[in-house]
């Protein structure tokens, strides 16, 4: 569960029923306390209406013949709030200074619940929401909170990007909860294979649950379309209902040389869902938002953007900070500023204009003629954050953790990972050999 999800504990159903009377007929007592029947679709709808009204001040009309979009695990497997919070993390990390954040909800459904939740959490966010189902579009327009765009199965899934080709028509993200299944038979088989049966009744219509080729084909279409639009959208994302789908999706990204991607997992109760995000930009996500620890998925995880260098002979972060400052000052083409936005001490923001530290770069410098009129490079080739820390150094395996000072590198921006790794290696080598290290 996302740490900011307000439903870490089950809601107080009695209190909800008092505040939202339409829910009262569906609350009953069990040996573990008050509950509702999650296999009753009407109870699901009333609970969702109550939670959205009380916790988010959203009045939602839920049509009886379309998917009910509950926001908690006990009501339905879809992890809506978790998904919105993850996208919120991505935008905060990679687009913190964007005044108006524009998103696209692909296949918004009858309730437009993703845009409504997101806009409630972030008042400056705006949405274009698409759907092919006329009944869903009619209901979504009644909620009147986002721009609703009708599309069709023959049109691109990224239709808003196709439709608006102006230079400034940029979006920060897309989101999608695709139809999971390729046929009614697959959907029925999935329900039958659950050991204890589904926790909640499925309220979705076929148009919302089934698509030719299932979720892999659907998300693959988004990927192939994104290859045309690239940086016109900062992050493309989608939910996935099956872990095995991630392998095919990541393979497609890698085959198209997309290395800037992220994987996350949403777990609430007995339900697991996954999400994938990818970008053609150079901003990099920290591992906490881009990687999960599932052993079954380690082979497809993106490479780490956080690296550590233990220096156990150093006794304090103040001494390590002095060593790091000295090392960084000796590297040409590097600008350093102190990060005052964090509560932690000894944090450096590093901007690298060019690789000047490698052996080949130094060789070129000694053989090239002196040029005094070289233009300054406006954009850095790499940015990272370095923090001097003390304690048990985090490493890939717990067996190699060391007590003492260590450097914490976070790759923030850059196209080429090799520059980040080379820079980290250079700073580590110089810091370890510094005459102050063994004092």
């Amino acid at each position: 569960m996302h740490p900011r999800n307000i439903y870490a504990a089950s809601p107080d159903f009695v209190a909800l029923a008092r505040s939202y009377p339409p829910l009262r007929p569906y609350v009953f007592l069990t040996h573990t306390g008050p509950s509702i029947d999650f296999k009753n679709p009407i109870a699901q709808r009333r609970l969702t209406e109550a939670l959205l009204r009380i916790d988010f001040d959203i009045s939602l009309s839920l049509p009886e013949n379309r998917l009910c979009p509950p926001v908690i695990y006990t009501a339905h497997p879809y992890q809506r709030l978790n998904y919105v919070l993850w996208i919120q993390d991505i935008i905060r990390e990679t687009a913190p200074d964007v005044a108006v954040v524009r998103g696209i909800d692909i296949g918004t459904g009858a309730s437009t619940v993703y845009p409504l939740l997101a806009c409630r959490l972030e008042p400056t966010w705006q949405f274009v929401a698409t759907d092919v189902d006329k009944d869903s579009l009619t209901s979504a327009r009644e909620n009147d909170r986002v721009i609703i765009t009708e599309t069709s199965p023959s049109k691109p899934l990224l239709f808003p990007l196709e439709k608006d080709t102006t230079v400034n028509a940029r979006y920060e993200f897309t989101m999608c909860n695709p139809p999971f299944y390729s046929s009614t038979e697959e959907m029925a088989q999935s329900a039958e294979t659950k050991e204890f049966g589904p926790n909640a009744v499925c309220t979705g219509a076929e148009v919302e649950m089934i698509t030719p080729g299932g979720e892999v084909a659907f998300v693959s279409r988004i990927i192939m379309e994104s290859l045309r639009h690239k940086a016109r959208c900062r992050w493309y994302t989608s939910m996935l209902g099956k872990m095995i789908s991630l392998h095919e999706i990541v393979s497609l990204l890698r085959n198209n040389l997309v290395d800037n991607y992220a994987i996350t997992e949403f777990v609430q109760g007995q339900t697991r869902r996954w999400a994938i995000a990818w970008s053609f930009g150079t901003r990099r996500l920290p591992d906490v938002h881009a990687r999960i620890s599932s052993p079954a998925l380690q082979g497809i995880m993106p490479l780490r953007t956080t690296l550590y260098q233990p220096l156990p002979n150093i006794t304090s972060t103040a001494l390590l900070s002095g060593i790091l400052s000295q090392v960084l000052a000796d590297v040409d083409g590097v600008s350093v500023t102190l990060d005052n936005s964090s509560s932690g001490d000894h944090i450096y923001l590093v901007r690298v204009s060019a690789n000047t530290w490698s052996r080949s770069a130094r060789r070129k410098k000694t053989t090239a003629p002196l040029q005094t009129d070289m233009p300054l490079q406006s954009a850095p080739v790499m940015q990272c954050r370095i923090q001097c820390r003390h304690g048990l150094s985090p490493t890939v395996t717990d067996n190699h953790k060391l007590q003492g000072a260590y450097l914490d590198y976070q790759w923030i921006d850059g196209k080429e990972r090799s520059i980040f790794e080379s820079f980290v290696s250079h700073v580590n080598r110089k810091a370890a050999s510094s005459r102050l290290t063994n004092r």
Side-chain angles (χ1 to χ4, degrees), residues 393-436:
S393 59
T395 54
V396 176
T397 61
D398 292 336
N399 297 332
H400 294 88
K401 287 186 178 181
L402 296 173
Q403 179 69 41
Y406 63 94
L407 293 172
D408 180 329
Y409 298 86
Q410 175 62 54
W411 187 20
I412 299 174
D413 199 304
K415 184 177 181 180
E416 298 182 34
R417 181 182 178 84
S418 60
I419 294 179
F420 171 62
E421 291 181 339
S422 175
F423 178 77
V424 169
S425 177
H426 175 78
V427 174
N428 287 343
R429 186 170 60 254
K430 292 294 183 179
S433 63
S434 170
R435 60 184 177 82
L436 298 175

Side-chain angles (χ1 to χ4, degrees), residues 313-364:
N313 292 334
I314 299 177
T315 57
S316 70
T317 55
L319 178 57
L320 180 56
S321 180
I323 295 171
L324 178 62
S325 296
Q326 182 184 74
V327 171
L328 294 175
D330 291 337
V331 183
D332 293 335
V334 170
S335 64
V336 182
T337 57
L338 289 176
D339 182 2
N340 297 320
S341 64
S342 175
S343 58
D345 296 329
H346 313 296
I347 301 178
Y348 298 81
L349 294 178
V350 179
R351 293 166 56 94
V352 177
S353 62
N355 182 347
T356 61
W357 57 86
S358 66
R359 182 175 299 176
S360 60
R362 295 196 303 271
R363 188 182 301 116
K364 289 179 181 178

Side-chain angles (χ1 to χ4, degrees), residues 6-7 16 19-20 47-61 71 81 111-113 115-123 143-145:
I6 63 174
Y7 301 116
L16 279 173
S19 300
Y20 189 72
L47 174 61
T48 297
E49 292 166 355
L51 292 171
L52 291 173
R53 175 80 61 85
I54 294 166
D55 293 333
F56 297 95
D57 194 26
I58 294 174
S59 297
L60 194 63
S61 59
V71 292
L81 184 56
S111 62
T112 63
V113 67
L116 293 182
L117 283 172
C119 291
R120 181 61 64 191
L121 294 175
E122 294 284 355
N143 290 310
D144 194 27
R145 294 295 305 275

Side-chain angles (χ1 to χ4, degrees), residues 6 93 97 146 177 184 220 225 266 298 331 370 377 430:
I6 63 174
E93 287 287 346
D97 300 323
V146 293
N177 186 12
T184 54
S220 294
E225 290 179 22
F266 307 130
Q298 288 312 296
V331 183
L370 180 64
Q377 184 165 339
K430 292 294 183 179

Side-chain angles (χ1 to χ4, degrees), residues 100-138:
V100 177
V101 173
R102 302 176 70 207
I104 299 173
D105 182 20
I106 302 170
T108 193
S111 62
T112 63
V113 67
Y114 284 128
L116 293 182
L117 283 172
C119 291
R120 181 61 64 191
L121 294 175
E122 294 284 355
T124 62
W125 287 17
Q126 299 178 358
F127 272 86
V128 173
T130 71
D131 211 292
V132 299
D133 181 46
K134 292 185 180 298
D135 290 341
S136 293
L137 287 166
T138 300

